Amino acid sequence: MTTTAPSDVRPDPPESSGDRSLAEFGYRQELHRSLGRYASFAAGFSFISVLTTVFQFFAFGYAFGGPVFFWTWPAVLVGQLLVAACFAELAARYPLSGAIYQWSSRLSNLSFGWFAGWIMVIGQIVVVAAAALALQMVLPAIWSGFQLVGSDPAPTSADGAANAAVLGVILLVLTTLVNVVDNRVMSVINRVGVTAEIIGAVLIIVLLLTHSERSPGITFHTGEGSTGLFGALMVGSFMAAYVMIGFDSAGEMSEETHNPRRTAPRTILTALGAAGLLGGLIVLGGLLAAPSLTDGHLGVDGLSYVLTSSLGDGIGRALLADVVVAIAVATLAIQTAACRMLFSMARDNQLPFSRRLAKVNPRTGMPSAPALVVGILAAALLLLDFASPDAFLAIGTTCIVMLYLAYAMVTGPLLVRRLRGEFPGSDGVDEEGRPLFSLGRWGAPVNAIALLYGLFMTVNLAWPRAAVYDPAGGHWYFQWFTLLFLGVTLVAGAAYRAYRARATVAEAPAYA
């Protein structure tokens, strides 16, 4: 698959269709419109990043569910495809940065949409931190010298958790620099990285399947120590839920994409579909090729153990190096998406220091201040790993819950608008004069199931299971971390909204 095309790098003329589309919503073109179809696909695929997330959470899913946790993958994929189909419709009609905030605000009202954007951007910052932590699952397996702190590389150990934080901070420094430099540099890195990830994923799948030790029938076993089929599936679904988020990033980059009304809806769906297919085959291949399902390694070391032990150190480490590239590109893409959300909300004067956050460097086409904010806050979250290894899972689960809730704050108002007959169907055309992407008569049932699925998974992920979030005991705040973090996010958002409302009234002229 080629990584470059003329459409990926050429600038739009001043009066492009994208510029006119922005003008319809009252905005002017500030971000550089330089992304083509493959770059748009790369934005969504690199956020999902199957190699990053599957390698990061495979051990967790297997430890709680055993081989049967594989079946959570297709279940979550179907649910997320329903959500993505709804988002594709919205991307065609509202091709704007800050997609979740913009979509929710226009489907409901500014206050509700503001909280959707607030929850989403905080969640994205947590995802950035979680993605950076994934280096710990791979780098020490390539070379022990990457274990800079202590000697135990397991992320569930004190040494491994602390080392994960150190490696993560180093990565965040690099991704923040790229997010400041130029959007064309960021796009090139994304496209090259995604191409390398796809090639690496295909090689891993082929090699794992050709080194199978057992038949696919093993996926119907719950494994030793699991707490029943239902419990295994509910906890095991964390991995799939963590992997298949961020496909909306293609919509986040709409203001930098050529022909966004046509391109973004399709790349949202293709990014999730490709990631879902590749990730499912990697999980299956790992289960089939693992030297043993009962020696304890698979539930601690995960897929890194499978690659190095089944394929040999040379090939295994070469493939792990590709995973490192995927992790770096994923962290970059997630940080970019968070930057666009901050920029979009600040452009509407909806955040503290909005004027600074909404400023775009005319030379680079990048909003520099949001990149620094996201990088610093994500690095601060990584410091939790020095407190306890349980922070690794707490951070990972929290970011999923935040994004799932933000997604529901879009699919919910969208369903209400559909039932009222207020959401446009296939009216309007894209930049090529073709009808906008539409679900047609399937819109309402797809939307309803997508909303119910999202709410169910939000509750499932946020449920404070002591065995999951505080297995060693003594850290009640990690058991309740997700709910506490969400509560603090909502209270902080409400406090800022109340302060802003009072300030607006105080600044109003006496005759108003």
Side-chain angles (χ1 to χ4, degrees):
M1 182 179 294
T2 182
T3 62
T4 61
S7 63
D8 282 332
V9 295
R10 71 178 190 272
D12 260 5
E15 294 299 326
S16 71
S17 59
D19 295 336
R20 292 195 298 273
S21 179
L22 275 181
E24 293 175 13
F25 298 104
Y27 300 122
R28 59 188 177 90
Q29 187 72 48
E30 294 182 277
L31 304 173
H32 291 184
R33 196 175 290 278
S34 60
L35 308 183
R37 182 173 298 177
Y38 188 72
S40 177
F41 165 83
F45 188 91
S46 56
F47 192 124
I48 300 170
S49 188
V50 290
L51 291 188
T52 299
T53 46
V54 169
F55 272 79
Q56 189 174 11
F57 268 80
F58 181 95
F60 172 81
Y62 184 83
F64 277 91
V68 76
F69 95 102
F70 165 79
W71 293 105
T72 63
W73 189 274
V76 170
L77 176 59
V78 170
Q80 290 295 69
L81 280 172
L82 298 178
V83 177
C86 295
F87 285 4
E89 284 189 307
L90 294 170
R93 290 157 180 79
Y94 308 111
L96 300 167
S97 292
I100 298 299
Y101 156 70
Q102 293 283 356
W103 297 342
S104 184
S105 296
R106 295 170 192 279
L107 292 169
S108 55
N109 56 61
L110 181 58
S111 294
F112 189 85
W114 185 91
F115 274 101
W118 176 248
I119 292 171
M120 183 69 182
V121 75
I122 299 299
Q124 286 172 325
I125 292 171
V126 182
V127 179
V128 174
L133 287 173
L135 284 178
Q136 182 62 27
M137 296 297 296
V138 183
L139 281 179
I142 296 175
W143 179 48
S144 60
F146 287 117
Q147 186 65 34
L148 306 175
V149 180
S151 58
D152 188 348
T156 53
S157 69
D159 288 350
N163 196 68
V166 173
L167 294 176
V169 169
I170 294 172
L171 177 58
L172 287 174
V173 171
L174 297 176
T175 57
T176 300
L177 287 175
V178 174
N179 262 306
V180 171
V181 174
D182 192 291
N183 80 329
R184 288 172 296 183
V185 174
M186 177 271 296
S187 176
V188 169
I189 293 174
N190 247 355
R191 297 198 309 272
V192 173
V194 164
T195 303
E197 179 171 5
I198 291 173
I199 293 172
V202 172
L203 286 175
I204 288 172
I205 291 167
V206 171
L207 290 171
L208 288 178
L209 292 179
T210 54
H211 286 75
S212 295
E213 299 284 342
R214 55 195 62 84
S215 72
I218 192 65
T219 59
F220 292 98
H221 294 257
T222 57
E224 297 180 7
S226 61
T227 57
L229 180 60
F230 183 76
L233 292 176
M234 289 301 97
V235 179
S237 66
F238 285 26
M239 186 202 74
Y242 179 70
V243 174
M244 287 181 273
I245 54 174
F247 45 85
D248 54 294
S249 291
E252 287 282 4
M253 305 300 288
S254 287
E255 292 184 30
E256 295 155 86
T257 303
H258 295 294
N259 301 327
R261 292 183 186 273
R262 181 161 185 80
T263 300
R266 287 155 180 78
T267 51
I268 285 173
L269 291 169
T270 54
L272 177 59
L277 175 62
L278 292 174
L281 291 174
I282 290 173
V283 173
L284 178 62
L287 291 171
L288 300 185
S292 172
L293 299 180
T294 58
D295 63 3
H297 282 292
L298 206 56
V300 176
D301 303 317
L303 284 176
S304 298
Y305 151 74
V306 179
L307 288 188
T308 54
S309 58
S310 296
L311 306 180
D313 279 348
I315 296 177
R317 289 178 180 177
L319 293 173
L320 288 178
D322 188 68
V323 177
V324 172
V325 173
I327 293 170
V329 172
T331 305
L332 171 64
I334 300 165
Q335 187 173 5
T336 302
C339 291
R340 298 305 179 267
M341 180 67 75
L342 281 176
F343 162 75
S344 183
M345 296 181 72
R347 177 175 58 182
D348 289 348
N349 195 29
Q350 294 297 313
L351 292 174
F353 311 106
S354 283
R355 181 175 299 180
R356 185 71 185 90
L357 290 171
K359 186 176 181 180
V360 176
N361 186 316
R363 181 182 62 82
T364 65
M366 303 285 271
S368 302
L372 295 173
V373 170
V374 174
I376 292 171
L377 292 179
L381 277 172
L382 293 182
L383 299 180
L384 287 173
D385 254 30
F386 284 101
S388 170
D390 293 336
F392 174 82
L393 183 58
I395 292 173
T397 307
T398 297
C399 69
I400 319 173
V401 170
M402 301 285 279
L403 266 63
Y404 264 75
L405 182 57
Y407 287 176
M409 294 177 75
V410 172
T411 55
L414 176 59
L415 180 60
V416 172
R417 294 286 293 271
R418 286 189 199 277
L419 296 178
R420 291 177 178 173
E422 297 172 354
F423 183 72
S426 59
D427 61 317
V429 295
D430 60 27
E431 295 86 358
E432 297 181 6
R434 301 179 184 180
L436 296 177
F437 178 89
S438 175
L439 293 173
R441 60 191 180 91
W442 292 100
V446 167
N447 196 161
I449 298 173
L451 175 61
L452 291 174
Y453 158 78
L455 293 174
F456 173 79
M457 285 300 294
T458 300
V459 173
N460 176 45
L461 294 164
W463 199 265
R465 302 172 175 89
V468 175
Y469 299 116
D470 186 25
H475 297 96
W476 64 269
Y477 44 87
F478 280 123
Q479 180 182 345
W480 295 88
F481 184 84
T482 298
L483 293 177
L484 290 172
F485 192 92
L486 179 59
V488 170
T489 299
L490 292 173
V491 169
Y496 171 70
R497 295 284 291 178
Y499 165 78
R500 191 170 184 275
R502 288 196 300 270
T504 301
V505 171
E507 293 170 2
Y511 57 80

